[in-house]
Amino acid sequence: MKAIVFETFGGTEVLHEAELEVPRPGPGQVRVRVKAVGVNPVDGKIRSGTMEAIFPTLLPAVPGGEIAGVVDAVGEGVDHPEVGDEVLGWSDTGSYAQYALASAAVLAPKPAGLDWTHAAALPVASDGAERVLDLLGITPGDTLLIHGASGALGTIAVQLAVARGARVIGTAGPSNQAYVTSLGATAMVYGDDLVERVRALAPDGVDAVFDAAGKGALEDSITLRGGTDRIVTTADFRAAELGVVFAEGPQRRSVARLAELARLAADGSLVTTVGAVHPLAEAAKAQRASDAGHNRGKIVLTVG
């Protein structure tokens, strides 16, 4: 099978296409014929070696952990899903490949109305967004500031926070202001005078801050909160030195919740935005765009 591989840590130049043996599912696993792969910022951090303390990587490695595809084979003890089922979820092996193994317990059925690219955009963003909203304790009436509101994670976080009854102020680039507004947030351009501009919109202050961008907004967030309480980042590695919670690590991976959100995405009640689509062979290009940030929605790889 074709797969994207890296043998050393580094920039996107270490990624290359290789021919690997098709994996066989073990007990409790299924093999998925991959149709689409979500490209996430963590993929680039693992590739660069900066995530070794959290996600130790055995080299050579295939990047990626988010998949949408068709079950191709099942391992011992697996009754569901079955061969031929269309699924989305998380892979046990790298997902930048024609085939990937996944634990049957972390795959949700893909609704017929949800296309492959949008299915691949959902697992990591939805799980990560809900995990952070729970860490922040978001409840009805809260004012939540989200940095990076137009990205894949921010797109879902805005909608789930609004569904919880929160008022959301979302920062994004100038070209994404209307998009963030369409998700249900009050949009704001990131950058200079952020503290003053947020206070003008929320004179009583913000109750919580979710930094999904990692673009240096933690100091302003601490000023707005008057301390580090109820601030969580998924992207700024300075979190520990500033006393802020860094939410990156093992995910909850609730397959029941993923299935529910997939149904909402299929009927249009939940917006899943795919900002760019690349073939598998362009994985390095896709990761360069992800590393640069400022993307609207999710970057997705399609697998022939």
Side-chain angles (χ1 to χ4, degrees), residues 18 20 23-25 57 65 68 72 144 152 164 174 185 210 256 304:
L20 302 181
R24 295 184 179 182
T57 303
D72 172 75
L144 170 65
R164 293 187 183 204
F210 179 0

Coordinates of all heavy atoms in Angstrom, one line a residue, residues 18 20 23-25 57 65 68 72 144 152 164 174 185 210 256 304:
A18 N 5.9 6.1 0.5 CA 6.6 4.8 0.5 C 5.6 3.7 0.3 O 4.4 3.9 0.4 CB 7.3 4.6 1.8
L20 N 4.3 0.2 1.7 CA 4.4 -0.6 2.9 C 3.5 -1.8 2.8 O 2.5 -1.8 1.9 CB 3.9 0.3 4.1 CG 4.7 1.5 4.4 CD1 4.1 2.2 5.7 CD2 6.2 1.2 4.6
P23 N -1.5 -3.7 6.6 CA -1.5 -4.2 7.9 C -2.7 -5.2 8.1 O -3.7 -5.2 7.4 CB -1.7 -3.0 8.8 CG -2.4 -2.0 7.9 CD -1.9 -2.3 6.5
R24 N -2.5 -6.1 9.1 CA -3.5 -7.1 9.4 C -4.1 -6.7 10.8 O -3.4 -6.4 11.8 CB -3.0 -8.5 9.5 CG -2.5 -9.0 8.1 CD -2.0 -10.4 8.3 NE -1.6 -11.0 7.0 CZ -1.2 -12.2 6.8 NH1 -1.2 -13.0 7.8 NH2 -0.8 -12.6 5.6
P25 N -5.5 -6.7 10.9 CA -6.1 -6.3 12.2 C -5.9 -7.4 13.2 O -6.0 -8.6 13.0 CB -7.6 -6.2 11.8 CG -7.8 -7.0 10.6 CD -6.5 -7.0 9.9
T57 N 7.2 8.7 19.7 CA 7.1 8.2 18.3 C 8.2 7.2 18.0 O 9.3 7.5 18.1 CB 7.0 9.3 17.3 OG1 6.0 10.2 17.7 CG2 6.8 8.8 15.9
G65 N -3.9 10.5 12.7 CA -4.7 9.6 13.5 C -6.2 9.7 13.4 O -6.9 9.2 14.1
A68 N -11.6 8.6 7.9 CA -12.9 8.2 7.4 C -12.7 7.2 6.2 O -11.8 7.4 5.4 CB -13.7 9.4 6.9
D72 N -12.6 -2.9 5.9 CA -12.1 -3.8 4.9 C -11.8 -5.2 5.4 O -11.9 -6.2 4.7 CB -10.8 -3.2 4.3 CG -10.0 -4.1 3.4 OD1 -10.4 -4.3 2.2 OD2 -9.0 -4.7 3.8
L144 N -17.4 33.5 26.6 CA -16.2 32.7 26.3 C -15.5 33.4 25.2 O -16.1 33.7 24.1 CB -16.6 31.3 25.9 CG -15.5 30.4 25.3 CD1 -14.4 30.1 26.3 CD2 -16.1 29.1 24.8
A152 N -10.3 24.6 12.3 CA -11.1 23.4 12.5 C -11.6 23.2 13.9 O -12.8 22.9 14.1 CB -10.2 22.2 12.0
R164 N -24.4 25.4 24.3 CA -24.4 25.3 25.7 C -25.0 26.5 26.4 O -25.2 26.6 27.6 CB -23.0 25.0 26.3 CG -22.4 23.7 26.0 CD -21.1 23.5 26.7 NE -20.5 22.2 26.4 CZ -19.6 21.6 27.1 NH1 -19.3 22.1 28.3 NH2 -19.1 20.4 26.7
P174 N -8.8 39.0 9.3 CA -9.8 39.9 8.7 C -10.7 39.2 7.7 O -11.9 39.5 7.6 CB -8.9 40.9 8.0 CG -7.6 40.9 8.8 CD -7.4 39.5 9.2
A185 N -20.8 33.4 16.7 CA -20.0 34.2 17.6 C -20.0 35.7 17.2 O -20.4 36.0 16.1 CB -18.5 33.7 17.6
F210 N -10.5 30.1 25.6 CA -10.0 28.9 24.9 C -9.1 29.4 23.8 O -9.5 30.0 22.8 CB -11.3 28.2 24.3 CG -10.9 26.9 23.5 CD1 -9.7 26.5 23.3 CD2 -12.0 26.2 23.0 CE1 -9.4 25.3 22.6 CE2 -11.8 25.0 22.3 CZ -10.5 24.6 22.1
A256 N -20.0 7.4 20.9 CA -21.5 7.7 20.9 C -21.7 9.2 20.6 O -22.6 9.5 19.8 CB -22.1 7.3 22.2
G304 N -6.8 7.7 -2.8 CA -7.4 7.0 -3.9 C -7.5 5.5 -3.6 O -6.7 5.0 -2.8

